[in-house]
Amino acid sequence: MSKRNVALIGATIVSIIYGVTFTIAKDVMPKHIDAYGFILLRAGGSMLLFWFVWFLMTLFDRTKNEKIAFNDFPRIIASAFFGVAFNMLTFFKGLSLTSPISAAVIMVTTPMIVLVLSAIIMKERMHKRKVFGIILGLIGTAFLILYGKSIGSATNAGLGNFLVLVNAISYGFYLIIVKKLMHKYNAFTFVKWIYLFGFLMVLPFGWSQFTTVDWAFVPTDIYWKIGFVVVVSTFLTYLLNLLSMKELKPTTVAVFIYLQPLFATIFAISLGKDELSLVKVGSAILIFSGVYLVTLKKK
Protein backbone atom coordinates (compact mmCIF):
# COMPACT_ATOMS: atom_id res chain seq x y z
CA MET A 1 0.00 0.00 0.00
CA SER A 2 1.36 3.42 -0.97
CA LYS A 3 2.11 6.10 1.61
CA ARG A 4 -0.63 8.27 0.09
CA ASN A 5 -3.27 5.56 0.58
CA VAL A 6 -2.11 5.05 4.16
CA ALA A 7 -2.41 8.80 4.73
CA LEU A 8 -5.94 8.82 3.25
CA ILE A 9 -6.94 5.97 5.55
CA GLY A 10 -5.42 7.84 8.50
CA ALA A 11 -7.38 11.02 7.66
CA THR A 12 -10.60 9.00 7.39
CA ILE A 13 -9.97 7.38 10.78
CA VAL A 14 -9.46 10.84 12.30
CA SER A 15 -12.85 11.98 10.95
CA ILE A 16 -14.53 8.86 12.36
CA ILE A 17 -12.89 9.41 15.76
CA TYR A 18 -13.93 13.06 15.89
CA GLY A 19 -17.45 12.20 14.78
CA VAL A 20 -17.79 9.61 17.55
CA THR A 21 -16.19 11.94 20.11
CA PHE A 22 -19.07 14.43 19.99
CA THR A 23 -21.46 11.84 21.44
CA ILE A 24 -18.96 10.14 23.79
CA ALA A 25 -17.90 13.45 25.38
CA LYS A 26 -21.56 14.43 25.67
CA ASP A 27 -22.19 11.28 27.75
CA VAL A 28 -19.55 12.44 30.24
CA MET A 29 -20.57 16.11 30.49
CA PRO A 30 -22.18 17.60 32.47
CA LYS A 31 -23.73 14.63 34.28
CA HIS A 32 -20.52 13.12 35.67
CA ILE A 33 -18.03 15.97 35.35
CA ASP A 34 -18.49 19.57 34.28
CA ALA A 35 -16.96 20.81 31.04
CA TYR A 36 -13.96 22.65 32.50
CA GLY A 37 -13.03 19.76 34.77
CA PHE A 38 -13.14 17.44 31.75
CA ILE A 39 -10.90 19.85 29.80
CA LEU A 40 -8.35 19.74 32.61
CA LEU A 41 -8.31 15.95 32.31
CA ARG A 42 -7.94 16.08 28.53
CA ALA A 43 -5.20 18.72 28.48
CA GLY A 44 -3.30 17.17 31.39
CA GLY A 45 -3.47 13.61 30.09
CA SER A 46 -2.45 14.62 26.57
CA MET A 47 0.40 16.74 27.92
CA LEU A 48 1.83 13.74 29.81
CA LEU A 49 1.53 11.51 26.73
CA PHE A 50 3.28 14.01 24.44
CA TRP A 51 6.14 14.55 26.90
CA PHE A 52 6.47 10.77 27.42
CA VAL A 53 6.70 10.06 23.68
CA TRP A 54 9.19 12.89 23.22
CA PHE A 55 11.32 11.42 26.03
CA LEU A 56 11.29 7.99 24.35
CA MET A 57 12.23 9.55 21.00
CA THR A 58 15.20 11.41 22.45
CA LEU A 59 16.24 8.34 24.45
CA PHE A 60 16.66 6.25 21.29
CA ASP A 61 17.55 9.05 18.86
CA ARG A 62 19.52 12.04 20.19
CA THR A 63 18.95 13.97 16.95
CA LYS A 64 15.29 14.40 17.97
CA ASN A 65 16.32 16.60 20.91
CA GLU A 66 15.87 19.92 19.11
CA LYS A 67 16.19 23.23 20.89
CA ILE A 68 13.50 25.86 20.46
CA ALA A 69 14.64 29.44 19.82
CA PHE A 70 13.67 31.78 22.63
CA ASN A 71 11.87 34.16 20.25
CA ASP A 72 9.55 31.31 19.16
CA PHE A 73 8.08 30.85 22.66
CA PRO A 74 5.57 33.74 22.27
CA ARG A 75 4.20 31.94 19.19
CA ILE A 76 4.06 28.67 21.17
CA ILE A 77 2.18 30.40 24.01
CA ALA A 78 -0.26 31.92 21.52
CA SER A 79 -0.73 28.47 19.94
CA ALA A 80 -1.40 27.04 23.41
CA PHE A 81 -4.06 29.69 24.05
CA PHE A 82 -5.93 29.39 20.74
CA GLY A 83 -5.26 25.68 20.07
CA VAL A 84 -5.66 24.20 23.56
CA ALA A 85 -6.99 26.50 26.30
CA PHE A 86 -9.55 28.81 24.68
CA ASN A 87 -10.31 26.23 22.00
CA MET A 88 -11.14 23.44 24.46
CA LEU A 89 -12.89 25.69 26.99
CA THR A 90 -15.37 26.99 24.42
CA PHE A 91 -15.85 23.68 22.61
CA PHE A 92 -16.50 21.46 25.63
CA LYS A 93 -18.67 24.05 27.35
CA GLY A 94 -20.62 24.50 24.11
CA LEU A 95 -20.97 20.75 23.60
CA SER A 96 -22.28 20.36 27.15
CA LEU A 97 -25.12 22.77 26.26
CA THR A 98 -25.98 21.68 22.71
CA SER A 99 -26.31 18.47 20.68
CA PRO A 100 -23.61 16.35 18.99
CA ILE A 101 -25.03 16.91 15.49
CA SER A 102 -25.25 20.71 15.83
CA ALA A 103 -21.70 20.92 17.21
CA ALA A 104 -20.32 18.74 14.40
CA VAL A 105 -22.06 20.76 11.68
CA ILE A 106 -20.77 24.08 13.05
CA MET A 107 -17.20 22.72 13.14
CA VAL A 108 -17.39 22.38 9.34
CA THR A 109 -17.10 26.19 9.17
CA THR A 110 -13.41 25.91 10.17
CA PRO A 111 -12.03 26.00 6.56
CA MET A 112 -14.07 29.14 5.84
CA ILE A 113 -12.86 30.77 9.04
CA VAL A 114 -9.23 29.97 8.15
CA LEU A 115 -9.76 31.58 4.74
CA VAL A 116 -11.18 34.77 6.27
CA LEU A 117 -8.41 34.98 8.86
CA SER A 118 -5.78 34.38 6.16
CA ALA A 119 -7.24 37.26 4.16
CA ILE A 120 -7.15 39.55 7.20
CA ILE A 121 -3.85 38.50 8.75
CA MET A 122 -1.84 37.26 5.75
CA LYS A 123 -3.49 39.58 3.17
CA GLU A 124 -4.48 36.72 0.88
CA ARG A 125 -6.79 37.64 -2.00
CA MET A 126 -10.45 36.56 -1.83
CA HIS A 127 -12.62 35.98 -4.91
CA LYS A 128 -16.35 36.76 -5.18
CA ARG A 129 -17.18 33.04 -5.22
CA LYS A 130 -15.43 32.56 -1.88
CA VAL A 131 -17.12 35.61 -0.35
CA PHE A 132 -20.52 34.23 -1.45
CA GLY A 133 -19.63 30.85 0.02
CA ILE A 134 -18.67 32.46 3.34
CA ILE A 135 -22.00 34.33 3.44
CA LEU A 136 -23.93 31.09 2.78
CA GLY A 137 -22.01 29.31 5.54
CA LEU A 138 -22.62 32.12 8.01
CA ILE A 139 -26.37 32.11 7.25
CA GLY A 140 -26.50 28.35 7.83
CA THR A 141 -24.56 28.68 11.07
CA ALA A 142 -26.80 31.52 12.26
CA PHE A 143 -29.94 29.42 11.63
CA LEU A 144 -28.43 26.50 13.51
CA ILE A 145 -27.48 28.69 16.49
CA LEU A 146 -30.85 30.44 16.68
CA TYR A 147 -33.26 27.62 15.79
CA GLY A 148 -31.35 24.31 16.04
CA LYS A 149 -33.16 22.77 18.99
CA SER A 150 -32.13 19.33 20.24
CA ILE A 151 -33.40 16.47 22.34
CA GLY A 152 -31.91 15.05 25.49
CA SER A 153 -29.66 17.12 27.71
CA ALA A 154 -29.19 20.08 25.34
CA THR A 155 -29.94 22.62 28.08
CA ASN A 156 -29.18 25.77 26.06
CA ALA A 157 -28.67 24.92 22.39
CA GLY A 158 -28.35 28.55 21.22
CA LEU A 159 -25.52 29.44 23.61
CA GLY A 160 -23.91 26.03 23.09
CA ASN A 161 -23.89 26.43 19.29
CA PHE A 162 -22.44 29.94 19.64
CA LEU A 163 -19.60 28.67 21.86
CA VAL A 164 -18.80 25.90 19.36
CA LEU A 165 -18.57 28.58 16.64
CA VAL A 166 -16.20 30.62 18.85
CA ASN A 167 -14.14 27.44 19.26
CA ALA A 168 -13.93 27.06 15.46
CA ILE A 169 -12.70 30.67 15.16
CA SER A 170 -10.10 30.03 17.87
CA TYR A 171 -8.93 26.88 16.06
CA GLY A 172 -8.62 28.90 12.85
CA PHE A 173 -6.26 31.33 14.60
CA TYR A 174 -4.28 28.33 15.90
CA LEU A 175 -3.82 26.84 12.40
CA ILE A 176 -2.38 30.11 11.12
CA ILE A 177 -0.12 30.72 14.14
CA VAL A 178 1.27 27.17 14.32
CA LYS A 179 2.09 26.95 10.60
CA LYS A 180 5.53 28.54 11.02
CA LEU A 181 6.44 26.13 13.83
CA MET A 182 5.47 23.12 11.70
CA HIS A 183 7.99 24.15 9.04
CA LYS A 184 10.77 24.91 11.52
CA TYR A 185 10.70 22.05 14.07
CA ASN A 186 9.84 18.41 14.51
CA ALA A 187 6.23 18.26 15.71
CA PHE A 188 7.05 16.68 19.09
CA THR A 189 9.62 19.41 19.72
CA PHE A 190 6.96 22.11 20.09
CA VAL A 191 3.67 20.28 20.68
CA LYS A 192 4.75 19.15 24.14
CA TRP A 193 5.30 22.82 25.05
CA ILE A 194 1.96 23.84 23.54
CA TYR A 195 0.13 21.31 25.72
CA LEU A 196 2.18 22.23 28.80
CA PHE A 197 1.28 25.92 28.50
CA GLY A 198 -2.28 24.98 27.53
CA PHE A 199 -2.62 22.82 30.64
CA LEU A 200 -1.40 25.69 32.86
CA MET A 201 -3.95 28.02 31.23
CA VAL A 202 -6.95 25.71 31.83
CA LEU A 203 -5.84 24.77 35.35
CA PRO A 204 -7.51 27.79 37.09
CA PHE A 205 -10.79 27.08 35.26
CA GLY A 206 -10.97 23.32 35.68
CA TRP A 207 -9.40 22.62 39.07
CA SER A 208 -12.47 23.35 41.21
CA GLN A 209 -14.75 21.25 38.97
CA PHE A 210 -12.18 18.45 38.87
CA THR A 211 -11.88 18.29 42.68
CA THR A 212 -15.66 18.19 43.21
CA VAL A 213 -16.05 14.94 41.25
CA ASP A 214 -16.72 11.92 43.46
CA TRP A 215 -14.71 9.42 41.44
CA ALA A 216 -15.93 6.48 43.53
CA PHE A 217 -19.43 6.94 42.07
CA VAL A 218 -18.34 7.42 38.44
CA PRO A 219 -19.43 4.35 36.40
CA THR A 220 -16.76 2.21 34.75
CA ASP A 221 -17.99 2.99 31.24
CA ILE A 222 -17.51 6.71 31.91
CA TYR A 223 -13.88 6.06 32.86
CA TRP A 224 -13.44 4.32 29.51
CA LYS A 225 -15.06 7.26 27.68
CA ILE A 226 -12.80 9.77 29.44
CA GLY A 227 -9.80 7.66 28.48
CA PHE A 228 -11.03 7.50 24.88
CA VAL A 229 -11.23 11.30 24.63
CA VAL A 230 -7.76 11.79 26.14
CA VAL A 231 -5.83 9.00 24.40
CA VAL A 232 -7.72 8.50 21.13
CA SER A 233 -9.54 11.78 20.40
CA THR A 234 -6.58 13.99 21.33
CA PHE A 235 -3.26 12.14 21.30
CA LEU A 236 -3.86 9.53 18.58
CA THR A 237 -5.68 11.88 16.22
CA TYR A 238 -2.78 14.31 16.40
CA LEU A 239 -0.35 11.57 15.38
CA LEU A 240 -2.62 10.48 12.50
CA ASN A 241 -2.95 14.10 11.36
CA LEU A 242 0.84 14.34 11.25
CA LEU A 243 0.93 11.28 8.99
CA SER A 244 -1.74 12.75 6.73
CA MET A 245 -0.14 16.20 6.47
CA LYS A 246 3.20 14.71 5.43
CA GLU A 247 1.70 12.93 2.40
CA LEU A 248 -1.37 15.00 1.49
CA LYS A 249 -1.98 18.62 0.55
CA PRO A 250 -3.58 20.81 3.25
CA THR A 251 -6.69 21.23 1.08
CA THR A 252 -7.06 17.46 0.86
CA VAL A 253 -6.75 17.06 4.62
CA ALA A 254 -9.31 19.84 5.16
CA VAL A 255 -11.88 17.99 3.05
CA PHE A 256 -12.01 15.23 5.66
CA ILE A 257 -13.45 17.72 8.18
CA TYR A 258 -16.66 17.48 6.16
CA LEU A 259 -17.04 13.81 7.09
CA GLN A 260 -17.29 14.57 10.81
CA PRO A 261 -20.98 15.63 10.81
CA LEU A 262 -21.84 12.49 8.83
CA PHE A 263 -20.20 10.16 11.36
CA ALA A 264 -21.46 12.25 14.30
CA THR A 265 -25.02 12.10 12.97
CA ILE A 266 -24.95 8.35 12.34
CA PHE A 267 -23.49 7.60 15.76
CA ALA A 268 -25.72 10.02 17.72
CA ILE A 269 -28.97 8.94 16.05
CA SER A 270 -28.11 5.23 16.32
CA LEU A 271 -27.79 5.66 20.11
CA GLY A 272 -30.87 7.88 20.39
CA LYS A 273 -28.76 10.81 21.59
CA ASP A 274 -30.02 13.24 18.96
CA GLU A 275 -32.46 13.56 16.08
CA LEU A 276 -32.60 15.26 12.70
CA SER A 277 -34.84 18.25 12.01
CA LEU A 278 -35.59 20.45 9.00
CA VAL A 279 -33.59 23.30 10.55
CA LYS A 280 -30.52 21.09 11.01
CA VAL A 281 -30.77 19.63 7.50
CA GLY A 282 -31.30 23.08 5.92
CA SER A 283 -28.47 24.62 7.94
CA ALA A 284 -26.16 21.75 6.99
CA ILE A 285 -26.97 22.23 3.27
CA LEU A 286 -26.16 25.95 3.49
CA ILE A 287 -22.91 25.32 5.40
CA PHE A 288 -21.75 22.53 3.08
CA SER A 289 -22.61 24.64 0.01
CA GLY A 290 -20.62 27.53 1.44
CA VAL A 291 -17.63 25.34 2.21
CA TYR A 292 -17.77 23.82 -1.28
CA LEU A 293 -17.67 27.26 -2.91
CA VAL A 294 -14.84 28.40 -0.63
CA THR A 295 -12.64 25.34 -1.19
CA LEU A 296 -13.43 24.89 -4.91
CA LYS A 297 -10.23 25.19 -6.94
CA LYS A 298 -10.13 27.72 -9.77
CA LYS A 299 -9.83 25.99 -13.14
Side-chain angles (χ1 to χ4, degrees):
M1 186 179 295
S2 67
K3 290 183 178 180
R4 176 178 171 81
N5 288 337
V6 173
L8 289 170
I9 293 172
T12 304
I13 293 173
V14 168
S15 295
I16 295 173
I17 292 172
Y18 281 148
V20 170
T21 299
F22 289 105
T23 298
I24 290 179
K26 183 74 177 175
D27 288 341
V28 179
M29 307 175 301
K31 182 179 179 180
H32 300 284
I33 182 171
D34 284 327
Y36 295 163
F38 195 12
I39 292 165
L40 185 64
L41 273 174
R42 184 183 184 186
S46 301
M47 175 197 67
L48 293 175
L49 287 172
F50 283 122
W51 276 89
F52 178 70
V53 171
W54 170 80
F55 174 76
L56 291 179
M57 290 173 63
T58 55
L59 190 65
F60 294 102
D61 186 357
R62 293 295 178 182
T63 61
K64 300 294 183 182
N65 192 15
E66 292 180 296
K67 302 296 182 182
I68 295 178
F70 183 76
N71 58 357
D72 281 329
F73 273 99
R75 183 177 292 270
I76 288 176
I77 293 172
S79 299
F81 176 77
F82 289 110
V84 179
F86 191 58
N87 174 38
M88 288 188 182
L89 289 171
T90 51
F91 175 72
F92 271 62
K93 185 62 177 180
L95 183 59
S96 70
L97 298 174
T98 188
S99 73
I101 294 177
S102 296
V105 170
I106 291 175
M107 283 304 297
V108 178
T109 61
T110 300
M112 291 189 293
I113 291 169
V114 171
L115 179 72
V116 173
L117 293 176
S118 297
I120 296 172
I121 298 173
M122 303 173 71
K123 308 300 181 184
E124 291 185 3
R125 186 181 176 186
M126 291 181 62
H127 301 284
K128 292 181 180 179
R129 168 178 49 81
K130 293 184 177 182
V131 173
F132 181 63
I134 290 169
I135 293 173
L136 276 182
L138 290 177
I139 292 173
T141 304
F143 268 104
L144 197 58
I145 290 173
L146 295 174
Y147 304 108
K149 306 302 180 183
S150 304
I151 65 170
S153 56
T155 55
N156 191 339
L159 178 59
N161 291 336
F162 175 74
L163 289 174
V164 174
L165 176 62
V166 172
N167 149 77
I169 296 172
S170 175
Y171 190 67
F173 272 110
Y174 164 74
L175 291 177
I176 294 174
I177 294 170
V178 82
K179 188 175 181 180
K180 185 178 179 181
L181 296 173
M182 288 288 292
H183 290 300
K184 192 172 182 179
Y185 302 106
N186 174 278
F188 280 100
T189 300
F190 65 86
V191 75
K192 66 182 188 294
W193 288 106
I194 288 178
Y195 269 86
L196 174 61
F197 287 121
F199 171 74
L200 294 176
M201 290 176 188
V202 301
L203 188 60
F205 296 92
W207 181 250
S208 61
Q209 293 185 0
F210 176 77
T211 55
T212 57
V213 178
D214 192 345
W215 295 101
F217 291 94
V218 175
T220 303
D221 66 306
I222 298 300
Y223 276 108
W224 282 105
K225 290 175 180 178
I226 292 173
F228 178 89
V229 172
V230 172
V231 178
V232 180
S233 301
T234 307
F235 178 73
L236 181 60
T237 53
Y238 187 86
L239 295 181
L240 290 174
N241 270 328
L242 284 180
L243 170 66
S244 301
M245 285 186 288
K246 283 184 178 180
E247 301 297 331
L248 304 174
K249 293 180 180 179
T251 51
T252 305
V253 176
V255 169
F256 285 87
I257 295 175
Y258 314 151
L259 294 177
Q260 292 179 26
L262 172 64
F263 294 125
T265 300
I266 294 172
F267 192 68
I269 292 178
S270 66
L271 296 180
K273 303 290 185 180
D274 205 350
E275 62 182 5
L276 285 177
S277 66
L278 288 177
V279 171
K280 288 179 183 177
V281 173
S283 299
I285 291 172
L286 287 172
I287 292 173
F288 274 81
S289 299
V291 171
Y292 172 76
L293 290 173
V294 167
T295 57
L296 185 65
K297 282 189 175 182
K298 187 177 180 180
K299 291 184 180 180

